[in-house]
Structures are given as C-alpha cells and as structure tokens.
Amino acid sequence: MFEIAPSILSADFTRLGEEIRAVEIGGAKVLHVDVMDGQFVPNITIGLPVVKSIRKATSLTIDTHLMIENPGNYAVKFVEAGADMVSVHVEADVHLQRTLCAIREAGGQSGIAINPATPLNSLEEALPFADFILLMSVNPGFGGQKFIDTSLDKLRRLRRMIDERGLNTRIEIDGGIDADNIAKIVEAGAEIIVSGTGVFGKGNATEGVKELIGAATVWI
Ligand code: DX5
Ligand code: ZN
C-alpha cells in the first residue's frame, strides 16, 4: 500500500487550514512540511510555530522534512511541536545515528533524507536506526522541479537493500511526482509519495489527491 503526502510548500498559505482540510477529504494520510534554513538549501520556508499550529488543526500524520544544517539541534523540537515523522539529511548531520535515536526517544518516527547525488551506501550504517528513508528525486529547495529519471533505479536499489536486510524501514519519495509518473514510482517500491504541485497546482487539492491515488492504483 502507499500513502499520499501532500507538501504544503505549494499550498496557499493564506488559506492553510482549508488546504489541509481539502487534502484530508481527498484521502491523504500524511502532511509533508518542508523546513528550509537558507543554508542547507537556497530557500527559507517555515518552522516550529507553524508545525505547532498545524498540529491543532489536523489529525493527519505530520511529516517534517528538515532541510537544515545541524539538524540534531532541532529534530527533537519538531517532535515536541507535534510532528509524527522527522527526517534529517544524511549530508547535513555528522552525528546522524545520535539524531535518529533522539527522534525515536522523543516519540517520533526517524527518517534519513538523501539527495539525488548522494550514494545509497551512505545509508548503510544508520539504516537500522531509521523508521523511513526519504529519497529525494529532485535537489531540495523548491517545489515544481522535474523528477530526475535516475531516481527510479535508485529507488529500486533502495527497496532491494531494505528487503535483503529484512528491515521494515519505509520508503518515502519526494520531488517532481505527478499523475503521469506516480504509478511507476509505487511499482518500484515507494510507500509514501510526496507531491506539492501535483496536489495543489491546479487549485483543487481534494481533486489533486484523488487524481494521484487513481493514477497510482493501476498497480494495486
Ligand atoms: C523540495 C521539497 C519537496 C517539494 C515537492 O525541496 O522537499 O517536498 O515541496 O514539490 P513538488 O511535488 O512540486 O516537486
Ligand atoms: Zn520535502
């Protein structure tokens, strides 16, 4: 099974509560929140106060994707703010194992995010400490970018790596996913599918989620 995780980066922030309600009605189970610091990525978005507000407004699983330097300084604070899932980039944390354990101890699900050019073998040692891997299929920083095609093969290799080790680690994928490519992505083994423009781009987020679910279920 797969879950759609709308990325609120592409939502209308003046109507955020309504946008969240719209994706709930469409069948989304996870809400993806992109946190950027202007250092790890060339963009600045939102942080802890917004996550706290969203927590009061929804019972969806809140998934915070930390695109920040030294994520170990903030990861637990996101769990305390109400996030259920917190991912930190393998490229940004020299004490990744410690951060992942701290997220779990705080009651969150720990995730490792990995950029398109970072090899999968950088996950090997930390994999047992992660509840999920967030495979980036664009270079993080902006919504609306094109899916990098080599990500599909990387996704298949990650699926194999997890299965061969007998782990339950879930795979989330993020960047450039829409109704045209979602079926291939689900078939290749992704379980949580992030989509920003694909959900919010046409102005009706309920229909956006439904369209993605419909396009993906060809394989179920
Ligand atoms: C990119 C973010 C993504 C982004 C996805 O840095 O991590 O979550 O919002 O947006 P789309 O689906 O438009 O590529
Ligand atoms: Zn993201």
Side-chain angles (χ1 to χ4, degrees), residues 7 9 32 34 36 65 67 136 140-144 174-176 195-197:
S7 163
L9 188 60
H32 185 81
D34 289 304
M36 306 185 190
H65 174 195
M67 287 159 275
M136 291 307 301
F142 304 94
D174 183 8
S195 181
T197 331

Side-chain angles (χ1 to χ4, degrees), residues 61 94 149:
T61 297
V94 289
D149 286 328

Side-chain angles (χ1 to χ4, degrees), residues 80-211:
E80 289 165 356
D84 302 288
M85 299 164 65
V86 179
S87 61
V88 299
H89 269 266
V90 61
E91 303 86 2
D93 196 345
V94 289
H95 304 297
L96 182 59
Q97 190 269 352
R98 179 160 65 198
T99 305
L100 295 171
C101 290
I103 294 167
R104 281 182 170 177
E105 272 163 33
Q109 295 170 47
S110 59
I112 311 174
I114 178 166
N115 280 340
T118 306
L120 288 180
N121 62 19
S122 65
L123 300 175
E124 273 177 21
E125 301 302 327
L127 201 52
F129 305 97
D131 295 307
F132 66 102
I133 301 298
L134 174 50
L135 188 75
M136 291 307 301
S137 42
V138 299
N139 289 289
F142 304 94
Q145 302 182 77
K146 190 184 170 311
F147 183 86
I148 297 172
D149 286 328
T150 51
S151 308
L152 205 56
D153 180 59
K154 192 178 184 184
L155 168 60
R156 289 196 188 99
R157 284 183 282 122
L158 175 60
R159 178 78 273 160
R160 213 178 310 136
M161 183 175 168
I162 290 169
D163 292 348
E164 280 173 4
R165 289 175 177 219
L167 296 168
N168 296 324
T169 325
R170 296 208 295 162
I171 302 179
E172 179 174 24
I173 185 161
D174 183 8
I177 299 160
D178 57 23
D180 293 333
N181 58 16
I182 190 169
K184 284 187 286 191
I185 289 162
V186 170
E187 192 264 341
E191 295 155 287
I192 306 166
I193 316 294
V194 178
S195 181
T197 331
V199 169
F200 296 102
K202 291 178 192 159
N204 183 334
T206 299
E207 288 308 314
V209 174
K210 284 186 179 168
E211 190 189 1

Side-chain angles (χ1 to χ4, degrees), residues 32-112:
H32 185 81
V33 181
D34 289 304
V35 179
M36 306 185 190
D37 68 351
Q39 298 293 321
F40 182 69
V41 287
N43 199 1
I44 300 176
T45 55
I46 55 177
L48 292 163
V50 177
V51 173
K52 271 187 199 152
S53 294
I54 294 173
R55 180 70 293 163
K56 291 182 204 142
T58 185
S59 56
L60 291 179
T61 297
I62 298 180
D63 166 36
T64 49
H65 174 195
L66 304 190
M67 287 159 275
I68 64 177
E69 295 287 359
N70 301 314
N73 294 344
Y74 288 96
V76 167
K77 292 181 184 173
F78 278 91
V79 179
E80 289 165 356
D84 302 288
M85 299 164 65
V86 179
S87 61
V88 299
H89 269 266
V90 61
E91 303 86 2
D93 196 345
V94 289
H95 304 297
L96 182 59
Q97 190 269 352
R98 179 160 65 198
T99 305
L100 295 171
C101 290
I103 294 167
R104 281 182 170 177
E105 272 163 33
Q109 295 170 47
S110 59
I112 311 174

